[in-house]
Amino acid sequence: MVTLEYKDQVAVIEGGELISYKDEGFEYMHQKGQPGWGNSDAEMFPVIGPTAAAGYRVQVPKGNAVLDQHGHLRELRYTQQEQKERSATYIKQYTAGTLISNSKYPARSKAPKLIWPFSFVFKKHFQLGEEGLKITFGISGDKDMPYMLGYHPAFQLRTENARVIAEGRSYGLREVMEAGDRALEVSGTELLILEDEKRIGLRTRGFGQFMLWSPVASMICVEPITFYPYAVEQTFLHEGFRHLDGPEATFEVLLIPNIKS
């Protein structure tokens, strides 16, 4: 477990997962063991969304891709690369064609093993600064590898009037919950504000859109994504891929506590 500190901010990371983020003693993150979801953050890669209706197959330019919901990155363990007072870096590595056991099998999936025909290195870097906590993702690997990326942080809610504000529109908790497991799409923006007992902003770079998910009234996931997976049928999920066209693709999420506007 790693603790980062800067002025009134404290971030706690366990195995690459952000399990606590406090500013002036106020906890923003959903806590494991509380109702709703068993994690506090996760990444969706190299696909976002369900694949069961497509037989867990995803169309790619080469080889076989057998992936469960949100890809197989979450089945890999992070290795810590660096730690300083205000920052920490973690990586996950995957070699093309390696079979990965699916933790959802057999209770919640019919796919015992997952496989992806591309090698990659996935880097996650945390940095506390004046504005807040910046989380940077770096993706490197086989040239032209197809991929989607989503970041899946969960935040505590303390009031019934919690809402998300984006581009002048407000999304209430009831609207988010009614969207169910499909999640509510918020397109065409790189900034959202979650307004509850206190406000926190999510300013992103590289994603372009969000989706919102809440299974219970005490938490909400505000998820930057490169593609909204329910825009297509599962057999056409490949239409949402980007392709790795350089040494590294980078994405940023800045958590801004007590954001004013």
Side-chain angles (χ1 to χ4, degrees):
M1 192 173 295
V2 170
T3 300
L4 310 179
E5 298 185 45
Y6 180 67
K7 295 185 176 179
D8 293 326
Q9 301 176 75
V10 180
V12 182
I13 305 153
E14 184 175 34
E17 180 180 8
L18 179 65
I19 62 170
S20 176
Y21 177 50
K22 294 180 181 179
D23 180 66
E24 297 180 337
F26 184 87
E27 178 65 75
Y28 286 98
M29 305 304 296
H30 165 72
Q31 299 296 290
K32 293 184 178 183
Q34 294 180 344
W37 189 44
N39 296 86
S40 54
D41 91 344
E43 291 76 52
M44 300 173 282
F45 180 88
V47 297
I48 304 170
T51 59
Y56 303 97
R57 266 62 178 175
V58 180
Q59 183 176 323
V60 293
K62 67 175 185 178
N64 295 314
V66 180
L67 298 176
D68 209 327
Q69 180 162 329
H70 298 330
H72 70 309
L73 183 73
R74 61 182 59 193
E75 301 291 356
L76 310 178
R77 289 190 176 185
Y78 274 115
T79 299
Q80 185 177 336
Q81 294 295 292
E82 180 184 57
Q83 179 188 348
K84 298 180 181 179
E85 182 180 359
R86 292 195 288 151
S87 66
T89 305
Y90 298 82
I91 67 165
K92 292 184 178 183
Q93 298 186 68
Y94 176 78
T95 301
T98 302
L99 286 171
I100 301 295
S101 294
N102 184 6
S103 61
K104 294 182 178 181
Y105 177 85
R108 293 179 293 141
S109 174
K110 295 181 180 179
K113 299 288 184 179
L114 309 176
I115 192 169
W116 182 243
F118 301 89
S119 297
F120 63 79
V121 175
F122 189 93
K123 181 170 65 176
K124 186 178 186 181
H125 177 74
F126 298 90
Q127 177 76 52
L128 281 175
E130 290 291 338
E131 284 192 280
L133 177 61
K134 180 185 288 187
I135 305 164
T136 304
F137 302 100
I139 302 168
S140 58
D142 290 345
K143 182 175 172 55
D144 296 325
M145 178 183 71
Y147 71 92
M148 304 172 202
L149 174 62
Y151 179 46
H152 195 306
F155 300 93
Q156 284 193 45
L157 296 179
R158 294 174 173 85
T159 74
E160 296 180 354
N161 298 320
R163 60 179 183 152
V164 173
I165 303 167
E167 300 293 326
R169 182 178 171 187
S170 176
Y171 301 85
L173 181 59
R174 181 183 297 273
E175 183 179 2
V176 175
M177 294 183 73
E178 287 177 351
D181 287 342
R182 291 177 65 90
L184 184 67
E185 180 183 15
V186 182
S187 61
T189 184
E190 294 267 26
L191 174 65
L192 287 187
I193 296 173
L194 173 59
E195 187 174 84
D196 191 35
E197 186 175 314
K198 288 194 175 184
R199 290 156 57 101
I200 186 169
L202 282 81
R203 181 186 299 153
T204 69
R205 183 179 64 81
F207 291 92
Q209 55 198 306
F210 292 79
M211 61 185 183
L212 309 174
W213 176 67
S214 177
V216 295
S218 59
M219 62 156 281
I220 187 171
C221 291
V222 181
E223 308 169 35
I225 53 174
T226 60
F227 177 70
Y228 180 66
Y230 298 98
V232 297
E233 297 293 332
Q234 290 182 29
T235 51
F236 296 100
L237 197 60
H238 60 277
E239 294 181 2
F241 278 135
R242 297 184 185 182
H243 292 83
L244 192 60
D245 57 2
E248 184 178 65
T250 60
F251 301 81
E252 292 180 358
V253 178
L254 178 63
L255 305 184
I256 311 170
N258 293 311
I259 188 171
K260 298 298 186 293
S261 61

